[in-house]
Amino acid sequence: MKFYDFYMSNAAYRVRIALNLKGLSVEQVIVDLVADEHRVPWFEELNPQRMLPILEDDGLTIAQSLPIIEYLEEAYPEPALLPAERGSRAWVRSFAQSIVSDMHPLMGRRVRRYLANQIGATAEDIDGWYRNWIAAGLSGLEGMLVARAETGQFCHGETPTIADTCLVPQTYNAQRFGCDMSPYPTIMSIVETCNGLPAFADAVPEKQPDWKPMEGVIPGQSRESK
């Protein structure tokens, strides 16, 4: 099994957690997004979208974090990352999609880069954009968790699910950009529980082999455009 990864990819972070929870070993291939390695011909041939993550397994090449995690759930079902009951599975998927489809696309590096390089947004403008959409998204997620009796130590019950694999990386990025997390006590309690598990703790960017400090790289810029 081969996994194309970059330490600061939020989407790849989700998959790293899922791989760890399932105890799966992979051959890790680093694709440095800041150095634009995703734009080289061999990677574009692998994934015409030029995006991470990518998983290769059993002759298959799978893109996008949630399809990868769903594939892992079907191919390697233990431990389960989806509840047994279909209504609960639907809720977990809905929660995960709220992050992956609604929040993350507004905050990704290519969006911040476009705001800076094409629209002329300042670092302060981009920071305001990021904080606005983080607050809107996390407020909704907090409400979803508070409203459900099934919310436990984790997003659903007492074991991690796909919902948690998506929540933890999103809150990591929010904290990285200095967002106020005090309005989201339920989220932060769940994140603290998750990060107490080795599967989550070992997936953090700082523990990846390609980790490097990101100081000096503002949200809208690459190293080359500084």
Side-chain angles (χ1 to χ4, degrees):
M1 191 184 302
K2 186 179 292 187
F3 180 54
Y4 296 81
D5 192 6
F6 180 56
Y7 76 103
M8 278 309 301
S9 166
N10 197 264
Y13 188 174
R14 299 170 197 141
V15 178
R16 291 197 300 265
I17 294 170
L19 288 166
N20 291 346
L21 286 168
K22 289 188 175 290
L24 297 172
S25 298
V26 295
E27 176 188 347
Q28 193 177 33
V29 180
I30 303 302
V31 180
D32 189 333
L33 299 180
V34 177
D36 285 339
E37 290 181 358
H38 58 302
R39 298 178 182 273
V40 300
W42 71 263
F43 189 78
E44 186 170 1
E45 183 177 345
L46 182 69
N47 181 10
Q49 287 186 301
R50 300 185 299 187
M51 297 171 68
L52 289 173
I54 299 288
L55 183 78
E56 292 181 331
D57 185 44
D58 197 25
L60 299 171
T61 300
I62 309 165
Q64 298 289 340
S65 61
L66 280 187
I68 290 172
I69 296 172
E70 291 265 9
Y71 167 80
L72 294 173
E73 182 72 356
E74 293 181 12
Y76 308 95
E78 297 297 332
L81 299 182
L82 284 170
E85 194 271 322
R86 65 183 180 183
S88 296
R89 289 199 303 273
W91 185 90
V92 165
R93 288 180 169 123
S94 174
F95 189 93
Q97 286 286 358
S98 295
I99 296 169
V100 173
S101 298
D102 295 340
M103 293 181 68
H104 185 233
L106 292 167
M107 307 168 203
R109 180 175 174 272
R110 61 180 180 169
V111 172
R112 301 193 305 268
R113 196 172 186 178
Y114 183 88
L115 290 171
N117 297 339
Q118 302 301 319
I119 297 179
T122 65
E124 183 179 356
D125 293 333
I126 296 169
D127 186 65
W129 168 279
Y130 192 94
R131 289 169 186 270
N132 175 73
W133 296 116
I134 276 284
L138 292 181
S139 178
L141 296 177
E142 179 77 9
M144 291 175 70
L145 293 166
V146 169
R148 288 191 91 236
E150 293 85 352
T151 300
Q153 292 188 78
F154 299 93
C155 291
H156 177 83
E158 305 307 317
T159 57
T161 66
I162 289 173
D164 303 284
T165 72
C166 295
L167 179 64
V168 168
Q170 192 64 64
T171 58
Y172 176 95
N173 269 8
Q175 291 174 295
R176 174 178 163 235
F177 285 106
C179 297
D180 179 14
M181 305 301 286
S182 62
Y184 321 113
T186 309
I187 286 174
M188 295 313 296
S189 175
I190 290 169
V191 168
E192 182 179 2
T193 300
C194 288
N195 285 332
L197 300 179
F200 287 83
D202 291 344
V204 298
E206 291 85 349
K207 290 193 176 181
Q208 304 316 302
D210 55 323
W211 182 83
K212 58 180 74 71
M214 293 290 285
E215 289 85 353
V217 181
I218 70 167
Q221 292 181 319
S222 69
R223 292 192 190 104
E224 291 75 17
S225 62
K226 280 174 59 181

